Amino acid sequence: MDKEDTTEFILAKKCLIMGELTPEMDEGLKMALDRESYGRTIYLAFARSAAEDGLNNLSKLFRAAAESETVHAMNLLDALGEIGDTYSNIKRLLTEEDCDIDTTYPTLAKEALKEGRSEASMAFNWILGVEKEHKELFRQALPYLEKEDDIEEERYFLCENCGYISQGVAPPKSCPICGAPASEFKEVE
Ligand SMILES: [Fe+2]
Ligand SMILES: [Fe+2]
């Protein structure tokens, strides 16, 4: 095989192209943000797996690496200029087109089912249900911010199975999105 066809060479070329992205550096920053965000999540998954294997010290190292990836992702978000003041952040959340809720996740859930990927379909449906709830929680915050107030103090319980956030004095008996019992909920500190 010609040297030019090796995987290493293809990767090197890709890196070179990335390096030449200067006029459209936002694209490079977004690609890096995807990688660092994925890195954080996979390190957290590895940490959970290591803890399940009884390797608590290694689990801690994975958690440290996840935090490190978060720092990288935050720096990239700053460089992209994506973060504004709280009012504009909330406004943006509420006015951005609901492509994910209206189109992306319903379509993916349906397609996954067609392909017999029931676990994938369930994951998409859970995201869809939870994202709608997120939007509602932030919508409720808007009138407070318009008066330059903070929202009322609440207790939040997170379903560790699907990500649903419940507010109140105790978690619900079962999760309205995935049906998990109250024991699957963890209070957010
Ligand atoms: Fe990183
Ligand atoms: Fe749930």
Side-chain angles (χ1 to χ4, degrees):
M1 188 195 278
D2 193 307
K3 184 181 179 298
E4 296 214 347
D5 292 324
T6 62
T7 311
E8 226 175 357
F9 189 77
I10 293 166
L11 283 176
K13 269 210 289 198
K14 264 193 188 165
C15 288
L16 202 65
I17 293 165
M18 284 277 297
E20 287 170 358
L21 264 178
T22 313
E24 298 150 26
M25 188 40 74
D26 280 1
E27 205 179 320
L29 285 165
K30 281 179 183 151
M31 285 165 75
L33 178 60
D34 275 352
R35 276 187 215 190
E36 299 302 312
S37 305
Y38 175 78
R40 169 186 167 79
T41 310
I42 205 155
Y43 278 138
L44 287 177
F46 288 169
R48 184 168 62 184
S49 187
E52 282 166 7
D53 290 339
L55 305 168
N56 290 325
N57 297 336
L58 195 54
S59 176
K60 189 173 169 182
L61 176 57
F62 278 129
R63 279 184 280 119
E67 288 307 313
S68 159
E69 300 299 38
T70 307
V71 173
H72 297 164
M74 296 269 198
N75 290 343
L76 294 165
L77 276 171
D78 282 341
L80 275 162
E82 295 253 344
I83 313 299
D85 61 85
T86 301
Y87 184 75
S88 56
N89 293 338
I90 296 260
K91 265 290 205 205
R92 179 185 153 183
L93 278 179
L94 296 176
T95 51
E96 262 182 5
E97 256 194 88
D98 277 333
C99 288
D100 289 353
I101 292 174
D102 296 336
T103 314
T104 314
Y105 287 121
T107 307
L108 285 171
K110 223 185 299 167
E111 288 301 313
L113 213 53
K114 262 194 232 161
E115 289 180 26
R117 302 282 300 269
S118 56
E119 195 178 358
S121 179
M122 192 172 65
F124 291 135
N125 275 321
W126 285 353
I127 296 173
L128 182 60
V130 171
E131 299 298 348
K132 284 183 194 166
E133 297 287 337
H134 285 177
K135 201 146 190 175
E136 192 42 44
L137 288 171
F138 290 118
R139 194 184 311 284
Q140 290 167 12
L142 198 59
Y144 291 87
L145 288 174
E146 278 164 352
K147 289 185 285 173
E148 295 185 17
D149 275 343
D150 195 357
I151 59 172
E152 304 293 333
E153 188 177 2
E154 291 278 357
R155 290 176 70 186
Y156 299 105
F157 298 90
L158 175 79
C159 174
E160 294 200 284
N161 197 43
C162 75
Y164 173 71
I165 299 166
S166 167
Q167 58 182 29
V169 290
K173 281 201 179 79
S174 67
C175 176
I177 303 292
C178 75
S183 58
E184 287 282 330
F185 280 78
K186 187 185 80 176
E187 184 161 6
V188 177
E189 295 307 328

mmCIF file of all heavy atoms in Angstrom, residues 157-162 164 171-176 178-186:
data_model
loop_
_atom_site.group_PDB
_atom_site.id
_atom_site.type_symbol
_atom_site.label_atom_id
_atom_site.label_comp_id
_atom_site.label_asym_id
_atom_site.label_seq_id
_atom_site.Cartn_x
_atom_site.Cartn_y
_atom_site.Cartn_z
ATOM 1 N N PHE A 157 -35.375 16.882 42.212
ATOM 2 C CA PHE A 157 -35.032 15.461 42.258
ATOM 3 C C PHE A 157 -34.849 14.973 40.821
ATOM 4 O O PHE A 157 -35.726 15.177 39.974
ATOM 5 C CB PHE A 157 -36.135 14.675 42.968
ATOM 6 C CG PHE A 157 -36.321 15.100 44.397
ATOM 7 C CD1 PHE A 157 -37.211 16.117 44.728
ATOM 8 C CD2 PHE A 157 -35.576 14.517 45.419
ATOM 9 C CE1 PHE A 157 -37.369 16.537 46.044
ATOM 10 C CE2 PHE A 157 -35.721 14.937 46.739
ATOM 11 C CZ PHE A 157 -36.626 15.951 47.053
ATOM 12 N N LEU A 158 -33.698 14.356 40.579
ATOM 13 C CA LEU A 158 -33.338 13.915 39.232
ATOM 14 C C LEU A 158 -33.554 12.414 39.087
ATOM 15 O O LEU A 158 -33.076 11.631 39.916
ATOM 16 C CB LEU A 158 -31.859 14.233 38.986
ATOM 17 C CG LEU A 158 -31.269 13.726 37.675
ATOM 18 C CD1 LEU A 158 -31.674 14.632 36.520
ATOM 19 C CD2 LEU A 158 -29.755 13.628 37.773
ATOM 20 N N CYS A 159 -34.277 12.014 38.060
ATOM 21 C CA CYS A 159 -34.408 10.578 37.760
ATOM 22 C C CYS A 159 -33.107 10.134 37.109
ATOM 23 O O CYS A 159 -32.750 10.617 36.025
ATOM 24 C CB CYS A 159 -35.579 10.316 36.815
ATOM 25 S SG CYS A 159 -35.648 8.595 36.288
ATOM 26 N N GLU A 160 -32.398 9.251 37.780
ATOM 27 C CA GLU A 160 -31.100 8.825 37.253
ATOM 28 C C GLU A 160 -31.246 7.818 36.119
ATOM 29 O O GLU A 160 -30.263 7.392 35.529
ATOM 30 C CB GLU A 160 -30.226 8.263 38.379
ATOM 31 C CG GLU A 160 -29.875 9.355 39.381
ATOM 32 C CD GLU A 160 -28.667 9.009 40.208
ATOM 33 O OE1 GLU A 160 -28.811 8.172 41.131
ATOM 34 O OE2 GLU A 160 -27.587 9.553 39.932
ATOM 35 N N ASN A 161 -32.499 7.464 35.829
ATOM 36 C CA ASN A 161 -32.736 6.543 34.728
ATOM 37 C C ASN A 161 -32.928 7.280 33.407
ATOM 38 O O ASN A 161 -32.416 6.858 32.378
ATOM 39 C CB ASN A 161 -33.967 5.698 35.044
ATOM 40 C CG ASN A 161 -34.049 4.465 34.194
ATOM 41 O OD1 ASN A 161 -33.050 3.784 33.976
ATOM 42 N ND2 ASN A 161 -35.229 4.176 33.682
ATOM 43 N N CYS A 162 -33.671 8.419 33.439
ATOM 44 C CA CYS A 162 -33.984 9.118 32.180
ATOM 45 C C CYS A 162 -33.617 10.590 32.193
ATOM 46 O O CYS A 162 -33.675 11.238 31.151
ATOM 47 C CB CYS A 162 -35.470 8.972 31.854
ATOM 48 S SG CYS A 162 -36.532 10.009 32.875
ATOM 49 N N TYR A 164 -35.228 12.980 33.979
ATOM 50 C CA TYR A 164 -36.367 13.850 34.322
ATOM 51 C C TYR A 164 -36.099 14.585 35.642
ATOM 52 O O TYR A 164 -35.578 14.004 36.597
ATOM 53 C CB TYR A 164 -37.641 13.003 34.447
ATOM 54 C CG TYR A 164 -38.842 13.765 34.957
ATOM 55 C CD1 TYR A 164 -39.471 14.715 34.164
ATOM 56 C CD2 TYR A 164 -39.343 13.529 36.241
ATOM 57 C CE1 TYR A 164 -40.563 15.424 34.642
ATOM 58 C CE2 TYR A 164 -40.437 14.228 36.720
ATOM 59 C CZ TYR A 164 -41.036 15.185 35.915
ATOM 60 O OH TYR A 164 -42.112 15.880 36.389
ATOM 61 N N PRO A 171 -39.456 13.138 45.756
ATOM 62 C CA PRO A 171 -39.572 12.669 44.373
ATOM 63 C C PRO A 171 -40.952 12.046 44.124
ATOM 64 O O PRO A 171 -41.613 11.624 45.085
ATOM 65 C CB PRO A 171 -38.467 11.609 44.254
ATOM 66 C CG PRO A 171 -38.155 11.194 45.628
ATOM 67 C CD PRO A 171 -38.466 12.363 46.512
ATOM 68 N N PRO A 172 -41.389 11.977 42.869
ATOM 69 C CA PRO A 172 -42.687 11.331 42.606
ATOM 70 C C PRO A 172 -42.608 9.825 42.868
ATOM 71 O O PRO A 172 -41.515 9.263 42.913
ATOM 72 C CB PRO A 172 -42.915 11.600 41.116
ATOM 73 C CG PRO A 172 -41.555 11.840 40.547
ATOM 74 C CD PRO A 172 -40.731 12.421 41.641
ATOM 75 N N LYS A 173 -43.781 9.199 43.057
ATOM 76 C CA LYS A 173 -43.800 7.744 43.306
ATOM 77 C C LYS A 173 -43.167 6.998 42.144
ATOM 78 O O LYS A 173 -42.454 6.025 42.334
ATOM 79 C CB LYS A 173 -45.243 7.263 43.510
ATOM 80 C CG LYS A 173 -45.779 7.558 44.890
ATOM 81 C CD LYS A 173 -46.964 6.630 45.216
ATOM 82 C CE LYS A 173 -47.487 6.924 46.610
ATOM 83 N NZ LYS A 173 -48.358 8.147 46.621
ATOM 84 N N SER A 174 -43.482 7.480 40.932
ATOM 85 C CA SER A 174 -42.815 6.906 39.766
ATOM 86 C C SER A 174 -42.571 8.012 38.747
ATOM 87 O O SER A 174 -43.295 9.013 38.718
ATOM 88 C CB SER A 174 -43.640 5.767 39.160
ATOM 89 O OG SER A 174 -44.817 6.293 38.619
ATOM 90 N N CYS A 175 -41.529 7.833 37.941
ATOM 91 C CA CYS A 175 -41.143 8.869 36.983
ATOM 92 C C CYS A 175 -42.197 8.969 35.871
ATOM 93 O O CYS A 175 -42.542 7.958 35.274
ATOM 94 C CB CYS A 175 -39.775 8.519 36.397
ATOM 95 S SG CYS A 175 -39.246 9.676 35.123
ATOM 96 N N PRO A 176 -42.677 10.198 35.585
ATOM 97 C CA PRO A 176 -43.700 10.343 34.542
ATOM 98 C C PRO A 176 -43.166 10.062 33.138
ATOM 99 O O PRO A 176 -43.936 9.846 32.212
ATOM 100 C CB PRO A 176 -44.145 11.801 34.675
ATOM 101 C CG PRO A 176 -43.034 12.492 35.346
ATOM 102 C CD PRO A 176 -42.363 11.483 36.228
ATOM 103 N N CYS A 178 -40.224 7.785 32.426
ATOM 104 C CA CYS A 178 -39.714 6.418 32.201
ATOM 105 C C CYS A 178 -40.322 5.390 33.145
ATOM 106 O O CYS A 178 -40.071 4.197 32.989
ATOM 107 C CB CYS A 178 -38.190 6.399 32.320
ATOM 108 S SG CYS A 178 -37.583 6.504 34.012
ATOM 109 N N GLY A 179 -41.099 5.851 34.138
ATOM 110 C CA GLY A 179 -41.754 4.896 35.037
ATOM 111 C C GLY A 179 -40.872 4.371 36.163
ATOM 112 O O GLY A 179 -41.308 3.522 36.948
ATOM 113 N N ALA A 180 -39.633 4.881 36.282
ATOM 114 C CA ALA A 180 -38.740 4.399 37.349
ATOM 115 C C ALA A 180 -39.334 4.750 38.731
ATOM 116 O O ALA A 180 -39.998 5.771 38.871
ATOM 117 C CB ALA A 180 -37.363 5.042 37.194
ATOM 118 N N PRO A 181 -39.074 3.914 39.730
ATOM 119 C CA PRO A 181 -39.604 4.202 41.065
ATOM 120 C C PRO A 181 -38.866 5.356 41.746
ATOM 121 O O PRO A 181 -37.778 5.757 41.302
ATOM 122 C CB PRO A 181 -39.342 2.887 41.824
ATOM 123 C CG PRO A 181 -38.180 2.269 41.140
ATOM 124 C CD PRO A 181 -38.299 2.665 39.691
ATOM 125 N N ALA A 182 -39.435 5.858 42.867
ATOM 126 C CA ALA A 182 -38.856 6.985 43.603
ATOM 127 C C ALA A 182 -37.404 6.729 43.981
ATOM 128 O O ALA A 182 -36.588 7.661 44.057
ATOM 129 C CB ALA A 182 -39.696 7.285 44.834
ATOM 130 N N SER A 183 -37.055 5.455 44.226
ATOM 131 C CA SER A 183 -35.692 5.129 44.658
ATOM 132 C C SER A 183 -34.631 5.461 43.582
ATOM 133 O O SER A 183 -33.449 5.553 43.886
ATOM 134 C CB SER A 183 -35.590 3.653 45.034
ATOM 135 O OG SER A 183 -35.959 2.852 43.932
ATOM 136 N N GLU A 184 -35.085 5.640 42.345
ATOM 137 C CA GLU A 184 -34.136 5.987 41.249
ATOM 138 C C GLU A 184 -33.824 7.491 41.220
ATOM 139 O O GLU A 184 -33.031 7.949 40.441
ATOM 140 C CB GLU A 184 -34.701 5.587 39.888
ATOM 141 C CG GLU A 184 -34.706 4.092 39.623
ATOM 142 C CD GLU A 184 -33.340 3.549 39.235
ATOM 143 O OE1 GLU A 184 -32.558 4.302 38.625
ATOM 144 O OE2 GLU A 184 -33.072 2.388 39.552
ATOM 145 N N PHE A 185 -34.555 8.275 42.078
ATOM 146 C CA PHE A 185 -34.354 9.724 42.072
ATOM 147 C C PHE A 185 -33.276 10.132 43.063
ATOM 148 O O PHE A 185 -33.190 9.558 44.150
ATOM 149 C CB PHE A 185 -35.663 10.447 42.409
ATOM 150 C CG PHE A 185 -36.612 10.548 41.242
ATOM 151 C CD1 PHE A 185 -37.373 9.450 40.852
ATOM 152 C CD2 PHE A 185 -36.723 11.734 40.537
ATOM 153 C CE1 PHE A 185 -38.229 9.532 39.768
ATOM 154 C CE2 PHE A 185 -37.592 11.825 39.464
ATOM 155 C CZ PHE A 185 -38.350 10.725 39.082
ATOM 156 N N LYS A 186 -32.495 11.127 42.652
ATOM 157 C CA LYS A 186 -31.452 11.661 43.533
ATOM 158 C C LYS A 186 -31.677 13.165 43.663
ATOM 159 O O LYS A 186 -31.908 13.844 42.649
ATOM 160 C CB LYS A 186 -30.086 11.385 42.898
ATOM 161 C CG LYS A 186 -28.905 11.745 43.780
ATOM 162 C CD LYS A 186 -27.597 11.557 43.031
ATOM 163 C CE LYS A 186 -27.316 12.737 42.106
ATOM 164 N NZ LYS A 186 -26.040 12.687 41.404
#
